[in-house]
Amino acid sequence: MKRVVWIMAALLVGCGGGDGDSATPQPGPAEGLSIGLSDAPADGVSHLVLQMHSLELTPGGHMGGGHHGGGDPIVLDMSHHRVDMLAYQGDDAYQLLHQHQLGPGRYQLRLHWTPGSGDHGSYVDDGQGRHPLHGEQPYFDLGEVTVREGEHQNFTLEMDLRQGLHHNGEYYELAHHGMRWVDNDTMGHLKGTVDASWIADCEADNASLAGPDSQFIHVAYLYPDGTTLEQMDDIAPEAADGLVAPLATSWVHQDHNGDWVFGIGFLPAGSYQVGYTCLGHLDQPDTNEAAESDFALYRDGGVVTIESGEGGGHHNTHRCGG
């Protein structure tokens, strides 16, 4: 499930006008926050609605002598936000808080949401109906943000729902696993393509492992740079011994031109390794798939370098094969 949390300091820009000394001085920049949500989709889910509750911002202050020098938390009501995360994927994000003025300093951020109960709170729609959505905790710890005088900060909470969303048969649970907190000034987006021959070869080589209705789920996995094909692990709460857990995943699907494409948004600038498989239907988020499960990454898609561009948000491209 994809949707993101952004933090941007509001920048109020004064526009000079007139000739010489006749221009009226304009106020300088005022600090503030904006928060957005983005996600990557989960298998078999059509809607994932988060009912927000509140945003808690605790001033960090200073640490000295074992005592915390911060102030009381600032609590903002978020209950009017009810967000279908699956409507905000890739480089799209739902803006939860827009240019909220905030004094310079360090803040610890915690976003509270309301778990599902009956007809209220958060929920998930899948092929079997509507289910309440719970969590390991009914909040997301977003980490610390430093707001500097005269500057603005940009951050995103990206949710990889393939990794973080779990189903126990009665309700869904949203885990913190698979979420990443990204500085928007130093991140970029990725749009990739997979050569059609890889798609055909993977399906042919794994014909006996097709899912229901003889369908395959094609998925791109993103790993730290230098991860070999043999080291690429599946999605799970923790990587198996000697293997490397994926940082993000994305469905590979055909676009209107017939090309096989995938997209991953809000990636910190740097180099990554891409993996591909058509066996995504065998990869369960709750467990490490052992060798006997038949799940495996099929091809190493090579190294991709994500550039942020000036101010962040650069759109990067990468091709696997061909």
Side-chain angles (χ1 to χ4, degrees), residues 39 133 148 162 167 186 189 209 223 228 232:
D39 75 8
L133 177 64
R148 298 178 179 88
R162 288 195 75 245
H167 189 209
T186 58
H189 307 296
L209 301 177
Y223 298 89
T228 66
M232 294 179 180

Side-chain angles (χ1 to χ4, degrees), residues 52-261:
M52 298 304 171
H53 182 272
S54 60
L55 177 66
E56 184 179 343
L57 307 100
T58 303
H62 64 275
M63 298 294 291
H67 299 288
H68 190 277
D72 294 332
I74 301 167
V75 179
L76 305 178
D77 181 16
M78 295 282 109
S79 61
H80 54 290
H81 292 282
R82 190 174 176 88
V83 189
D84 185 353
M85 294 300 299
L86 293 182
Y88 302 91
Q89 301 178 19
D91 61 357
D92 196 10
Y94 176 85
Q95 196 162 45
L96 190 67
L97 188 70
H98 180 62
Q99 297 183 347
H100 180 80
Q101 189 170 348
L102 195 66
R106 293 188 293 113
Y107 299 86
Q108 290 286 340
L109 272 63
R110 175 173 285 184
L111 178 62
H112 296 264
W113 55 281
T114 302
S117 177
D119 295 330
H120 303 284
S122 305
Y123 64 85
V124 173
D125 285 340
D126 61 15
Q128 283 19 164
R130 179 162 295 179
H131 311 270
L133 177 64
H134 297 174
E136 294 174 320
Q137 300 90 21
Y139 57 79
F140 305 131
D141 278 328
L142 307 180
E144 183 178 87
V145 171
T146 299
V147 177
R148 298 178 179 88
E149 186 173 358
E151 297 182 4
H152 67 274
Q153 312 298 318
N154 304 317
F155 291 86
T156 291
L157 177 66
E158 169 71 24
M159 304 180 187
D160 187 338
L161 299 184
R162 288 195 75 245
Q163 299 190 64
L165 187 64
H166 306 264
H167 189 209
N168 73 352
E170 296 182 8
Y171 61 84
Y172 281 87
E173 182 173 271
L174 187 58
H176 287 197
H177 176 66
M179 297 185 185
R180 59 183 183 272
W181 182 245
V182 184
D183 183 339
N184 280 18
D185 289 338
T186 58
M187 67 80 187
H189 307 296
L190 172 62
K191 182 176 181 180
T193 58
V194 177
D195 191 87
S197 65
W198 282 25
I199 303 294
D201 290 347
C202 187
E203 292 189 357
D205 291 344
N206 295 283
S208 64
L209 301 177
D213 301 321
S214 299
Q215 298 296 308
F216 292 89
I217 301 295
H218 301 270
V219 182
Y221 292 68
L222 203 67
Y223 298 89
D225 186 18
T227 305
T228 66
L229 182 63
E230 293 73 24
Q231 294 173 319
M232 294 179 180
D233 201 4
D234 61 336
I235 55 174
E238 294 182 1
D241 290 343
L243 301 182
V244 180
L247 301 170
T249 68
S250 174
W251 280 337
V252 180
H253 63 278
Q254 280 188 293
D255 64 9
H256 61 281
N257 294 319
D259 296 323
W260 290 89
V261 300

Side-chain angles (χ1 to χ4, degrees), residues 301-317:
V303 177
V304 56
T305 298
I306 299 297
E307 297 180 354
S308 61
E310 185 176 356
H314 180 69
H315 286 76
N316 302 266
T317 59

